[in-house]
Amino acid sequence: GQNIDQPTEMTATEGAIVQINCTYQTSGFNGLFWYQQHAGEAPTFLSYNVLDGLEEKGRFSSFLSRSKGYSYLLLKELQMKDSASYLCAVISGNTGKLIFGQGTTLQVKP
Amino acid sequence: DVKVTQSSRYLVKRTGEKVFLECVQDMDHENMFWYRQDPGLGLRLIYFSYDVKMKEKGDIPEGYSVSREKKERFSLILESASTNQTSMYLCASTYTGTGEQPQHFGDGTRLSIL
């Protein structure tokens, strides 16, 4: 079967670093996305990984290990506006179909 | 910027009604998707379409149908609405093919079935 696991909730302090993990078991892996979703809003694209290693974009980085079926999203210098849900999603097949994890709700505290 | 527009942000309907949710994208994307999002369950794919008049079932198609008569528009239809279809519905679109082609989402329709 296909399965994606993320922690349900995380809490971190403003200015700190937080790592959100995602493990997956899917067929036909074609890449992994991270999305951010603020309450009541649409998910927005954060990052894409298809090769092993780290992709850095400003305060956000995403890592992939295909052999381990594992990814993480790293958020540095946390800000209050980073309080949101973070969705891990794996591409299945070549139609762009995504399989989503349940999402991790991150709360940033002062 | 890509714009995916859903016709309603909030909708209240009654059990047994036929409900139409509309989605329009302005970037000539081939692929369009309908999801529902429920607490603790994440986004689940209902139907998707990779071309005009083409459709594929997702993971939870029961009780739903779709229509794609024009490339830019993808409609989700609840044939006879039931209370367990109360949810947030999200539409998305993307270009065809593999690679870094993120799905672009609309703002969602929060549907309540009474």
Side-chain angles (χ1 to χ4, degrees):
Chain A
Q2 304 192 95
N3 191 50
I4 299 180
D5 284 318
Q6 308 177 232
T8 304
E9 295 179 341
M10 298 183 72
T11 303
T13 304
E14 191 176 16
I17 299 173
V18 71
Q19 177 174 310
I20 302 173
N21 295 325
C22 172
T23 58
Y24 63 90
Q25 289 178 307
T26 62
S27 57
F29 178 84
N30 279 320
L32 184 145
F33 287 99
W34 283 96
Y35 283 84
Q36 181 190 59
Q37 186 179 24
H38 285 99
E41 297 182 12
T44 55
F45 168 70
L46 285 179
S47 68
Y48 170 75
N49 295 73
V50 67
L51 300 176
D52 290 352
L54 189 68
E55 296 280 342
E56 297 187 74
K57 279 187 180 182
R59 294 189 300 115
F60 292 6
S61 303
S62 57
F63 171 83
L64 176 68
S65 169
R66 289 172 297 173
S67 62
K68 296 182 179 179
Y70 169 69
S71 174
Y72 67 72
L73 180 70
L74 193 70
L75 291 73
K76 302 176 185 176
E77 301 169 15
L78 280 173
Q79 302 175 9
M80 298 299 292
K81 68 178 182 179
D82 296 330
S83 292
S85 288
Y86 292 86
L87 313 179
C88 173
V90 173
I91 303 172
S92 173
N94 60 7
T95 58
K97 179 181 172 183
L98 290 177
I99 302 167
F100 281 87
Q102 67 176 6
T104 299
T105 300
L106 173 66
Q107 184 179 16
V108 180
K109 295 185 173 180
Chain B
D1 276 354
V2 176
K3 185 70 175 175
V4 179
T5 303
Q6 294 184 230
S7 52
S8 306
R9 288 299 303 273
Y10 301 94
L11 204 56
V12 179
K13 295 292 183 180
R14 296 204 173 272
T15 303
E17 282 192 70
K18 191 169 186 177
V19 181
F20 293 85
L21 302 183
E22 305 287 346
C23 176
V24 177
Q25 50 92 8
D26 66 357
M27 281 301 291
D28 205 35
H29 285 166
E30 293 87 0
N31 298 342
M32 296 188 75
F33 306 83
W34 274 107
Y35 297 90
R36 60 178 286 176
Q37 186 174 30
D38 301 288
L41 297 177
L43 272 78
R44 293 179 292 166
L45 183 64
I46 303 171
Y47 267 97
F48 66 104
S49 168
Y50 51 87
D51 203 350
V52 176
K53 296 191 185 297
M54 305 299 286
K55 61 184 179 183
E56 293 280 345
K57 292 181 179 179
D59 300 317
I60 50 166
E62 295 79 19
Y64 303 94
S65 62
V66 291
S67 172
R68 186 135 182 235
E69 296 296 318
K70 294 184 178 181
K71 191 174 186 179
E72 66 270 19
R73 185 179 297 271
F74 192 34
S75 302
L76 180 69
I77 304 155
L78 285 66
E79 296 291 343
S80 177
S82 63
T83 54
N84 63 11
Q85 292 178 308
T86 292
S87 186
M88 169 69 87
Y89 289 88
L90 287 161
C91 174
S93 71
T94 189
Y95 288 112
T96 290
T98 58
E100 189 176 351
Q101 302 291 348
Q103 291 187 13
H104 299 269
F105 286 84
D107 286 335
T109 296
R110 188 166 292 281
L111 176 64
S112 296
I113 306 296
L114 304 179

